[in-house]
Amino acid sequence: MAFNEFPFLRYAVFFILGIVIYPWIEFVDIFWIIILYGSIFLLYLIFTLYTSYLNEFKNRLLISFLGLTLWVIFGLLLSYSKDVKRDTNHLLYKDNYEGYIGIVQQNDEIKPRTLRNTIRLTHVANNDSLWKAEGEVIIYHQSNLAPGQVVAIKGKPQRVAPPNNPYEFDYAQFLSRQQIYHTHFAGKNITVLGWVNHRPINFFFLSLRKIIQDQMNKVISHPRANQIAQALLLGQKNNLDREVSEAYSTAGAMHILAVSGLHVGIIYGFFFVFFRPYKLSPYKRMAYLSMVIIIIWTYAFLTGMSPSVMRSATMFTIISMAQMRSSSPSVYNGLAISAILLLVYDPNLIYAVGFQLSYAALTGILLFQPVIVNLWLPKNKLLYRCWEITSVGIAAQLATFPISAYYFHTFPTYFILSNLIAIPGAFVIMAIGIPFMLFSIFPWIGEGLGLVLDYLIQILNKFIFLIHDLPAAKVTAIRIEPWEIVWYYSLLALTFILVTARFKKLTISLISVILLGVCVNWANLMEIKNKKEIYLYTATSGRAVDHIYGQTLYSWNDGWADQDILYKIIPNRINVGIHSQTIPLHFEPDQGVLILPDEKFISTKERVEFINFSPKEVSCFDGKSWHPADQDSIMWNDNKAYRIIVE
């Protein structure tokens, strides 16, 4: 495989580079970026015309450099144009108002105590005055809202706050990458003014999805089977029980619940069972493939257009269009073009975990699966099919491991076993589920297919829970840093080239990369071994302290809920490299002090006091990073996290 055969791979890489570096230079005025783009484009045009005039391909490196630089700047310009912070009418820049008017964007999502929805603003209001406004607000309310309703809401949305504790999930950043910066607990302060169909296609599919969900609720009676049906067929995972979600995650089968390329690929492959497009006449081939494209995008809209679904739908569309002229179009070019098109639509998709995992998994399958499957060629057909599925799972895990470990800190031990069950199971369930969605409104057909679907999903659930209950089913508390992701992929790329191309000169490079990673990790272990740090955490449920004493972790908390410990404390423990069992710190309630393992004392009264020692350094967490703090001004209830370096 020659890299120069796939030019769009190069374009995609440099285009993504422009999007990624945009946050670092977003302060630069767009005028200068346009000037830079125009200057480089002019140079590119001059050298290209000059080379064409001479009928010789001189200055090849310079022309390539200028062309790829244009892609980088294009990524910058696109990110700039899609950044809602540039809009002066955005809610970010509105202050003097008492309420707002907007359009409901989704069906209500059921939460434990409220309903959740998204409002697209049109105006803000103060007394009898209205001003145009832009932006989206996530509201939590107690009314019944439907997509397209125009509503007036009293009150002011709040800017989403950054995390209070280090490495806690950054919900503010997560929403900002969806161009959302505000939330509002609206309660019942909502008045419906009317209805507008400003997104007819989206609203149509939202209504259709609601009809199908209602039919599922009627026919699929088993609660967990119903949840899996809605997740696997419609991409609606919000109502999954924690136990169900944990079981599928531990078993390594969560990917079948996130509607993705697997599901779209099953639908795409289903139509090729009956007809081979390259055997049809040109007009019949065009008509058949056009029908397949329409069906794929219908399913994509129906399931909510997640990043992985958009990737697969776009890629299969490009491949289908290419098949109208060629029987074997380039999958790699199609993959790169689909990425470029999706990022033109929304540059922030590059930060979506689903987008990253989707492209990494498919790239891994395309590159590594043929090599892995050829390592063993059993003669038994059933055994060979099982090995094919296994090789796909191994290839996908090789490609996605650092990304999933970075975000989720876990690894499913039995993913090979679960894929042998989950992938065929997903295929069978979709083979019944798609007809069910089409014919669910017809009583006899819908009820019959629903009963079969219910039974099949219950069987799949039993297998998944069996795998979940196996000993050591999941490796947890995996710590991986950004540089380790780069190191891992460098190692993987060098190994792949060495194995496939037999390019022995890369052996030295491969050994060097391995040694570099080992040395850096050894240095990190030595640093952890000598650590003596104290972390003070904050939460609404109480107070908590972690004391890292070498490789031992001592802790104390006063009234913390298990959920707060899981989401506010454990992420920091993982990232500082402490995975051991915690030892309780000794607390003297009468004196109001914590006793550290080396006989140092900390007061737990209103103000934090270091009684018989002076810290080397005290830092306060501001939501993004640590900043120096005055040790005499630390309060237990000031909603801030602190790091104290003892010595």
Side-chain angles (χ1 to χ4, degrees):
M1 181 181 72
F3 187 67
N4 58 8
E5 294 178 6
F6 313 110
F8 283 96
L9 285 177
R10 296 196 298 275
Y11 305 155
V13 168
F14 284 89
F15 177 54
I16 290 170
L17 179 62
I19 295 172
V20 170
I21 65 176
Y22 168 73
W24 302 94
I25 62 169
E26 61 180 358
F27 59 87
V28 178
D29 193 282
I30 193 171
F31 172 79
W32 298 110
I33 301 176
I34 293 173
I35 290 294
L36 179 62
Y37 187 85
S39 302
I40 293 177
F41 180 76
L42 186 62
L43 285 173
Y44 177 80
L45 194 62
I46 290 171
F47 279 105
T48 303
L49 291 174
Y50 177 69
T51 302
S52 178
Y53 173 75
L54 294 178
N55 203 22
E56 296 178 6
F57 198 68
K58 292 183 178 181
N59 305 310
R60 180 176 59 182
L61 290 177
L62 179 60
I63 292 174
S64 296
F65 172 77
L66 292 173
L68 295 174
T69 303
L70 287 174
W71 278 98
V72 175
I73 302 174
F74 177 51
L76 287 172
L77 287 171
L78 189 71
S79 299
Y80 193 106
S81 67
K82 298 282 187 175
D83 189 353
V84 297
K85 297 193 299 294
R86 305 289 179 181
D87 187 350
T88 56
N89 280 328
H90 196 274
L91 188 62
L92 287 166
Y93 309 110
K94 305 293 182 182
D95 185 42
N96 187 26
Y97 65 94
E98 297 175 348
Y100 54 97
I101 296 173
I103 304 170
V104 180
Q105 299 296 297
Q106 304 286 342
N107 290 309
D108 284 334
E109 180 184 328
I110 300 173
K111 292 294 181 181
R113 296 180 181 177
T114 60
L115 300 171
R116 182 182 188 269
N117 215 314
T118 304
I119 304 297
R120 187 181 185 89
L121 267 68
T122 58
H123 297 84
V124 292
N126 188 8
N127 296 326
D128 295 328
S129 301
L130 291 176
W131 296 275
K132 285 186 177 181
E134 298 290 338
E136 292 189 346
V137 178
I138 292 177
I139 66 166
Y140 297 89
H141 63 97
Q142 295 173 326
S143 306
N144 290 315
L145 301 178
Q149 286 181 332
V150 180
V151 294
I153 303 176
K154 294 180 181 179
K156 296 179 68 172
Q158 300 296 314
R159 183 78 182 264
V160 183
N164 290 325
N165 298 288
Y167 295 102
E168 182 183 338
F169 176 64
D170 194 340
Y171 188 56
Q173 185 184 70
F174 172 76
L175 288 181
S176 70
R177 286 170 174 170
Q178 301 174 48
Q179 306 284 280
I180 299 174
Y181 294 89
H182 296 85
T183 60
H184 188 200
F185 290 88
K188 295 182 178 180
N189 298 320
I190 301 175
T191 303
V192 178
L193 303 178
W195 187 83
V196 63
N197 193 14
H198 77 297
R199 298 170 62 195
I201 296 176
N202 296 72
F203 288 170
F204 169 77
F205 282 105
L206 283 171
S207 301
L208 182 59
R209 187 198 305 163
K210 185 70 167 59
I211 292 170
I212 295 172
Q213 285 180 297
D214 290 341
Q215 292 299 319
M216 285 183 175
N217 292 333
K218 289 179 182 177
V219 178
I220 304 176
S221 58
H222 193 278
R224 287 181 173 175
N226 190 311
Q227 294 168 24
I228 297 300
Q230 295 199 28
L232 197 153
L233 295 171
L234 294 174
Q236 304 306 299
K237 298 192 299 177
N238 297 322
N239 296 323
L240 281 177
D241 286 346
R242 184 178 298 171
E243 290 182 0
V244 174
S245 180
E246 176 65 22
Y248 274 80
S249 176
T250 300
M254 199 65 181
H255 59 282
I256 72 165
L257 299 187
V259 173
S260 62
L262 170 67
H263 304 71
V264 178
I266 289 172
I267 294 172
Y268 185 79
F270 179 79
F271 288 94
F272 284 72
V273 171
F274 304 104
F275 296 101
R276 302 291 181 182
Y278 62 87
K279 292 183 178 180
L280 300 174
S281 63
Y283 290 108
K284 289 182 179 179
R285 184 193 310 171
M286 186 177 297
Y288 186 71
L289 290 171
S290 297
M291 180 193 70
V292 172
I293 291 171
I294 291 170
I295 291 171
I296 286 174
W297 280 103
T298 299
Y299 185 69
F301 274 102
L302 184 63
T303 55
M305 297 288 284
S306 69
S308 54
V309 168
M310 286 196 292
R311 185 271 303 161
S312 52
T314 305
M315 194 193 72
F316 284 126
T317 298
I318 292 166
I319 291 173
S320 295
M321 292 174 69
Q323 283 182 321
M324 292 178 186
R325 300 190 62 182
S326 170
S327 60
S328 56
S330 166
V331 178
Y332 297 101
N333 272 331
L335 188 66
I337 293 170
S338 71
I340 292 171
L341 290 175
L342 290 177
L343 292 173
V344 167
Y345 168 73
D346 182 5
N348 284 301
L349 278 175
I350 194 65
Y351 301 109
V353 181
F355 184 90
Q356 296 172 15
L357 289 174
S358 178
Y359 275 92
L362 187 56
T363 302
I365 291 168
L366 292 173
L367 287 175
F368 307 138
Q369 193 270 343
V371 177
I372 295 169
V373 78
N374 284 326
L375 294 175
W376 182 41
L377 299 172
K379 295 180 180 179
N380 183 280
K381 287 186 177 180
L382 178 60
L383 194 59
Y384 180 73
R385 292 301 179 194
C386 292
W387 172 236
E388 272 190 320
I389 295 172
T390 301
S391 65
V392 169
I394 294 172
Q397 285 290 349
L398 278 174
T400 59
F401 167 72
I403 299 174
S404 60
Y406 178 76
Y407 287 111
F408 306 117
H409 309 292
T410 61
F411 180 77
T413 310
Y414 303 112
F415 74 91
I416 293 176
L417 177 60
S418 66
N419 279 335
L420 287 173
I421 299 167
I423 293 177
F427 181 86
V428 174
I429 289 169
M430 287 197 69
I432 303 298
I434 298 296
F436 168 79
M437 290 193 293
L438 291 173
F439 303 111
S440 60
I441 59 173
F442 299 102
W444 293 99
I445 301 175
E447 289 175 9
L449 291 173
L451 289 173
V452 174
L453 201 57
D454 193 337
Y455 183 70
L456 288 173
I457 295 174
Q458 287 187 55
I459 293 174
L460 177 63
N461 282 346
K462 287 180 180 179
F463 279 111
I464 295 299
F465 273 89
L466 281 173
I467 296 172
H468 168 266
D469 293 334
L470 292 174
K474 181 170 65 173
V475 180
T476 59
I478 298 174
R479 174 179 178 253
I480 187 167
E481 297 182 7
W483 75 265
E484 290 177 299
I485 297 176
V486 176
W487 174 78
Y488 176 92
Y489 281 125
S490 300
L491 187 64
L492 192 62
L494 288 170
T495 304
F496 176 73
I497 295 170
L498 191 63
V499 169
T500 56
R502 310 290 182 182
F503 195 47
K504 294 183 179 179
K505 291 182 180 180
L506 287 178
T507 305
I508 296 175
S509 300
L510 181 61
I511 294 171
S512 300
V513 170
I514 293 172
L515 290 175
L516 176 65
V518 170
C519 290
V520 175
N521 272 296
W522 180 82
N524 288 338
L525 287 173
M526 291 301 101
E527 182 184 353
I528 293 170
K529 189 176 181 180
N530 298 317
K531 268 189 177 180
K532 289 186 179 179
E533 296 178 354
I534 300 169
Y535 289 90
L536 309 182
Y537 302 100
T538 179
T540 55
S541 59
R543 304 172 292 177
V545 176
D546 272 354
H547 179 38
I548 300 170
Y549 192 78
Q551 291 180 299
T552 307
L553 177 63
Y554 297 86
S555 69
W556 172 81
N557 79 78
D558 177 26
W560 274 57
D562 291 340
Q563 283 292 97
D564 282 335
I565 293 173
L566 180 62
Y567 294 113
K568 296 178 181 293
I569 295 181
I570 289 180
N572 187 56
R573 291 176 181 173
I574 292 172
N575 281 280
V576 297
I578 302 297
H579 306 150
S580 60
Q581 286 287 99
T582 60
I583 300 173
L585 278 170
H586 185 67
F587 175 56
E588 288 287 350
D590 295 336
Q591 302 177 35
V593 295
L594 282 172
I595 303 175
L596 303 184
D598 49 0
E599 297 302 320
K600 292 182 171 67
F601 297 86
I602 298 178
S603 170
T604 60
K605 296 177 181 178
E606 185 176 351
R607 188 166 68 88
V608 178
E609 294 183 51
F610 309 102
I611 295 173
N612 60 343
F613 72 101
S614 181
K616 180 180 178 182
E617 179 185 312
V618 177
S619 303
C620 178
F621 186 68
D622 68 353
K624 291 186 178 180
S625 58
W626 295 102
H627 294 282
D630 181 4
Q631 71 178 61
D632 295 325
S633 64
I634 304 176
M635 308 297 289
W636 281 105
N637 59 350
D638 61 0
N639 294 323
K640 294 179 182 178
Y642 293 93
R643 180 182 65 188
I644 297 99
I645 298 178
V646 179
E647 58 183 53

